[in-house]
């Protein structure tokens, strides 16, 4: 581990320990300020004077949320927060010191939080306006559309204060590396009694066990197959092409173990504080929170069982066990995916470009290094290939044949993740191009050929199906003279 990793882990462990104290604070207003003060301390510890970036961006974003009309504040805030990332990441061009890695992660989360609350405010304002119009036009049917029902939360979003946005932004839960959560989840933590009845300690212990396991795998694998070796001359001069191709597997395994460790510790921060706990009956979703009405459940909180699904950012077992690349992406970084789906995919004006927009936004959010774009923008290309062959050979397969095909897809999935993920880790264009050239761009070339062959076979398959259908229709007509006569007429 480097110095940044050590500081990062120590801060996470300190935040986990703070959860026990935070839950004991009875006054909710006091608890809210304590949580944000702890968050500010964490930001300053890991960022030093770079914390000014966080303060400036939140100040600009807050002004956009409050001063711009609700009909447009989501667009302006999005531009302000994502635009600040340009200055933040290219600050060295202005003669200022480059920001450390942990500060970059903090800024990424602040970008989602502040712009996310603006999107929520605009959506709520639209529901309020639509309901008012329905009331004015047709009093009897004003509430006929459930999507237009205005809640107290919608009204509270229109009354936001700068203090509330700042407290939400710097809440110590999730400030360092996530998970992303809505303002509603933050508000519920201080207004609902669920945290006092959720299995906080038990859930934290289970997650800590998992974090220790992932960290052990990371340290062991990183010792045996260090990423730095892939940058050395020996790797390219003395190792075979096959060795270099296979090296992407342990490289991405190390990356996964490292990410799993950090995300699991981040979830421990939430569970120890009771943050994001909701009743099972509330039908919670990652990042989103409850999808059913849950306010009445606060009347008898002791009668419910609870989960922390809202703050689970990566479903590790599902990522590892699922068969396809597409499924793996759905289980990875799901809280951020929720933000992208709701605020980018669904709102992007040109429907056919929505998938491209969401991947481009994700790559931009991660950073400006070429590796981010090689990796994230390469994913749709692999998914096209995978979907094509899924329809050709996997979709209708059953029994042992389906099992064999699933295993092949699983192996290909991890090669795809590993091949693209290596670019993410190598980061610079020169390092990426040197590595891909040394393996003759085997990944991209193979996938391109598979796409071409797959599309050709799909065309043949559809042609054969049409011929079979015409033959079946002809046979049916020949066996039924009345049908043939009717067809002729």
């Amino acid at each position: 581990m480097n110095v940044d990793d050590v500081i990062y882990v120590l801060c996470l462990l300190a935040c986990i320990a703070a959860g026990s104290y935070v839950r004991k604070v009875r006054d909710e207003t006091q608890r809210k300020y304590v949580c944000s003060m702890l968050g500010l301390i964490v930001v300053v510890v890991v960022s030093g004077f770079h914390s000014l970036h966080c303060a400036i961006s939140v100040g600009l974003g807050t002004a956009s949320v409050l001063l711009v009309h609700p009909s447009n504040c989501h667009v302006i805030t999005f531009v302000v927060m994502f635009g600040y990332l340009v200055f933040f990441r290219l600050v060295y061009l202005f003669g200022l010191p480059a920001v450390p890695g942990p500060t970059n992660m903090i800024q990424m989360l602040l970008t989602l939080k502040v712009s996310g609350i603006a999107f929520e405010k605009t959506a709520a304002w639209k529901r309020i306006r639509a309901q008012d119009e329905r009331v004015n036009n047709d009093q009897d049917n004003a509430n006929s559309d459930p999507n237009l029902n205005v809640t107290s939360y919608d009204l509270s979003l229109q009354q936001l204060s700068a203090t509330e946005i700042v407290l939400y932004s710097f809440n110590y839960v999730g400030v360092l590396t996530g998970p992303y959560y809505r303002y509603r989840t933050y508000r519920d933590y201080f207004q609902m009694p669920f945290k006092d009845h959720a299995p906080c300690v038990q859930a934290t212990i289970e997650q800590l066990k998992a974090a220790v396991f992932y960290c052990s795998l990371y340290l062991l694998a990183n010792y045996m197959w260090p990423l730095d070796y892939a940058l050395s001359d020996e790797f390219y001069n003395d190792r075979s092409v096959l060795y270099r191709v296979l090296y992407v597997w342990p490289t991405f395994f190390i990356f996964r173990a490292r990410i799993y460790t950090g995300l699991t510790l981040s979830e421990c921060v939430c569970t120890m504080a009771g943050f994001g706990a909701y009743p099972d009956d509330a039908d919670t979703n990652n990042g989103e929170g409850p999808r059913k009405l849950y306010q009445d459940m606060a009347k008898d909180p002791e009668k419910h069982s609870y989960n922390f699904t809202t703050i689970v950012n990566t479903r590790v077992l599902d990522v590892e066990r699922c068969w396809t690349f597409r499924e793996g992406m759905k289980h990875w970084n799901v809280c951020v995916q929720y933000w992208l789906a709701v605020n980018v995919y669904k709102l992007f004006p040109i429907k056919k470009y929505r998938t491209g927009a969401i991947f481009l936004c994700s790559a931009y959010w991660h950073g400006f290094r070429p590796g981010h774009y090689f990796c994230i923008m390469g994913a749709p290309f692999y998914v096209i290939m995978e979907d094509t062959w899924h329809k050709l050979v996997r979709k209708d397969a059953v029994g042992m044949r389906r099992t064999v095909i699933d295993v092949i897809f699983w192996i290909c999935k991890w090669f795809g993740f590993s091949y693209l993920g290596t670019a993410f880790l190598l980061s610079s264009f020169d390092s990426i191009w040197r590595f891909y050239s040394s393996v003759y761009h085997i990944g991209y070339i193979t996938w391109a050929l598979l796409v071409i062959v797959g599309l050709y076979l799909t065309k043949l398959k559809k042609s054969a199906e049409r011929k079979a259908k015409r033959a079946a229709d002809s046979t049916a007509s020949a066996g039924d003279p009345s049908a043939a006569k009717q067809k002729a007429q």
Side-chain angles (χ1 to χ4, degrees):
M1 288 188 177
N2 56 37
V3 176
D4 284 347
D5 285 342
V6 172
I7 296 174
Y8 169 83
V9 171
L10 289 176
C11 286
L12 283 175
L13 292 175
C15 289
I16 294 170
S20 179
Y21 163 74
V22 168
R23 279 190 290 113
K24 294 177 182 177
V25 178
R26 292 295 92 188
D27 183 86
E28 295 300 342
T29 300
Q30 182 182 352
R31 189 204 306 264
K32 186 179 293 187
Y33 279 91
V34 167
C35 288
S36 295
M37 286 301 298
L38 289 174
L40 285 170
I41 291 172
V42 170
V43 172
V44 172
V45 167
V46 302
S47 304
F49 74 90
H50 295 289
S51 305
L52 288 174
H53 287 294
C54 303
I56 292 171
S57 64
V58 169
L60 293 173
T62 300
S64 301
V65 174
L66 299 180
L67 300 180
V68 179
H69 191 272
S71 61
N72 295 314
C73 75
H74 63 305
V75 176
I76 301 302
T77 307
F78 178 89
V79 171
V80 168
M81 295 304 295
F82 276 79
Y84 192 85
L85 285 177
V86 178
F87 171 73
F88 173 76
R89 286 168 174 159
L90 301 180
V91 69
Y92 61 90
L93 296 178
F94 300 92
L96 298 174
V99 295
T103 307
N104 180 58
M105 183 62 71
I106 292 171
Q107 189 63 43
M108 289 167 67
L109 266 298
L110 290 175
T111 299
L112 296 187
K113 278 185 173 182
V114 179
S115 55
I117 203 171
F119 277 103
E120 288 197 71
K121 182 179 180 180
T122 297
W125 175 81
K126 290 179 178 179
R127 284 191 292 271
I128 294 170
R129 187 183 66 167
Q131 188 180 68
D132 290 343
E133 291 176 353
R134 292 288 294 273
V135 169
N136 294 332
N137 295 333
D138 188 351
Q139 183 70 36
D140 295 332
N141 296 323
N143 296 318
S144 60
D145 186 352
N147 293 323
L148 298 180
N149 290 341
V150 175
T151 65
S152 61
Y153 177 65
D154 293 331
L155 297 173
S156 69
L157 286 170
Q158 310 309 310
Q159 306 298 325
L160 281 170
S161 66
T163 300
E164 192 68 9
I165 296 175
V166 171
L167 291 176
Y168 163 63
S169 300
F170 289 106
N171 180 29
Y172 86 99
V173 176
V175 72
L176 191 56
T177 185
Y180 165 78
Y181 49 83
R182 297 172 60 191
Y183 173 70
R184 184 182 69 172
T185 304
Y186 171 79
R187 194 183 74 150
D188 285 345
Y189 179 66
F190 301 102
Q191 294 186 357
M192 296 291 176
F194 302 143
K195 57 184 171 294
D196 298 322
H197 301 273
C200 301
V201 176
Q202 180 183 352
T204 302
I205 291 174
E206 291 301 314
Q207 289 293 79
L208 282 174
K209 291 178 182 177
V212 170
F213 175 69
Y214 301 143
C215 187
S216 300
L217 292 178
Y218 164 70
L219 293 174
L220 177 62
N222 192 51
Y223 175 77
M224 298 177 65
W225 300 287
L227 177 63
D228 289 344
Y229 185 61
L231 299 172
S232 66
D233 291 334
E234 179 185 345
F235 181 77
Y236 293 98
N237 298 331
D238 300 341
R239 296 296 185 176
S240 66
V241 173
L242 179 61
Y243 181 91
R244 291 195 292 270
V245 170
L246 294 178
Y247 204 81
V248 301
W249 290 77
T251 297
F252 191 69
F253 176 84
I254 294 166
F255 175 75
R256 297 206 309 278
R258 182 173 181 268
I259 294 298
Y260 291 161
T261 302
L263 293 180
T264 304
L265 288 175
S266 298
E267 291 171 15
C268 288
V269 177
C270 299
T271 56
M272 194 62 183
F275 192 94
Y278 285 102
D280 291 336
D281 296 334
D283 185 27
T284 53
N285 185 38
N286 307 81
E288 179 180 8
R291 290 180 287 191
K292 293 182 178 179
L293 292 176
Y294 60 96
Q295 287 78 5
D296 289 342
M297 300 177 191
K299 297 177 181 178
D300 50 359
E302 70 282 351
K303 296 182 179 180
H304 299 281
S305 57
Y306 294 86
N307 64 68
F308 289 93
T309 302
T310 299
I311 52 84
V312 173
N313 204 19
T314 295
R315 298 185 280 261
V316 176
L317 291 180
D318 291 326
V319 171
E320 296 294 322
R321 295 184 300 191
C322 69
W323 298 116
T324 65
F325 192 101
R326 177 182 286 276
E327 291 175 283
M329 288 195 303
K330 290 180 179 179
H331 299 303
W332 181 274
N333 213 4
V334 283
C335 292
V336 174
Q337 284 199 50
Y338 164 77
W339 188 97
L340 289 168
V342 171
N343 300 321
V344 178
Y345 185 85
K346 291 183 178 180
L347 298 181
F348 196 77
I350 308 175
K351 191 172 183 179
K352 65 179 180 179
Y353 296 135
R354 285 179 175 177
T355 299
I358 201 172
F359 277 104
L360 183 60
C361 183
S362 178
Y364 176 93
W365 178 70
H366 278 87
F368 299 155
R369 295 179 177 178
H372 299 144
Y373 296 86
F374 269 93
C375 176
I376 296 173
M377 299 307 294
F381 182 60
Y382 183 92
V383 170
I384 291 172
M385 181 276 295
E386 184 182 69
D387 288 348
T388 301
W389 284 91
H390 167 77
K391 294 174 183 177
L392 276 172
V393 301
R394 183 171 180 262
K395 183 179 179 180
D396 299 321
V398 294
M400 181 56 68
R401 183 169 181 263
R402 174 59 182 256
T403 302
V404 172
I405 292 174
D406 280 343
V407 172
I408 294 173
F409 268 68
W410 184 84
I411 294 172
C412 292
K413 174 196 80 171
W414 280 124
F415 177 74
F417 272 126
S418 301
Y419 188 82
L420 294 173
T422 299
F424 192 97
L425 294 170
L426 292 175
S427 186
S428 70
F429 181 84
D430 290 341
S431 297
I432 296 167
W433 197 255
R434 185 185 187 191
F435 172 74
Y436 280 162
S437 297
S438 76
V439 295
Y440 303 102
H441 301 276
I442 187 172
Y444 291 119
I445 292 175
T446 301
W447 300 336
L449 292 174
L450 286 172
V451 168
I452 294 171
V453 173
L455 292 176
Y456 176 71
L457 293 177
T458 299
K459 183 178 179 180
L460 293 180
K461 182 180 180 181
K462 289 181 178 179
S463 177
E465 289 174 350
R466 286 194 295 268
K467 290 180 180 178
K469 187 176 184 300
R470 287 196 295 267
D473 291 343
S474 299
T475 302
S477 299
D480 187 354
S482 61
K485 183 178 180 181
Q486 183 178 2
K487 185 176 181 181
Q489 292 176 347

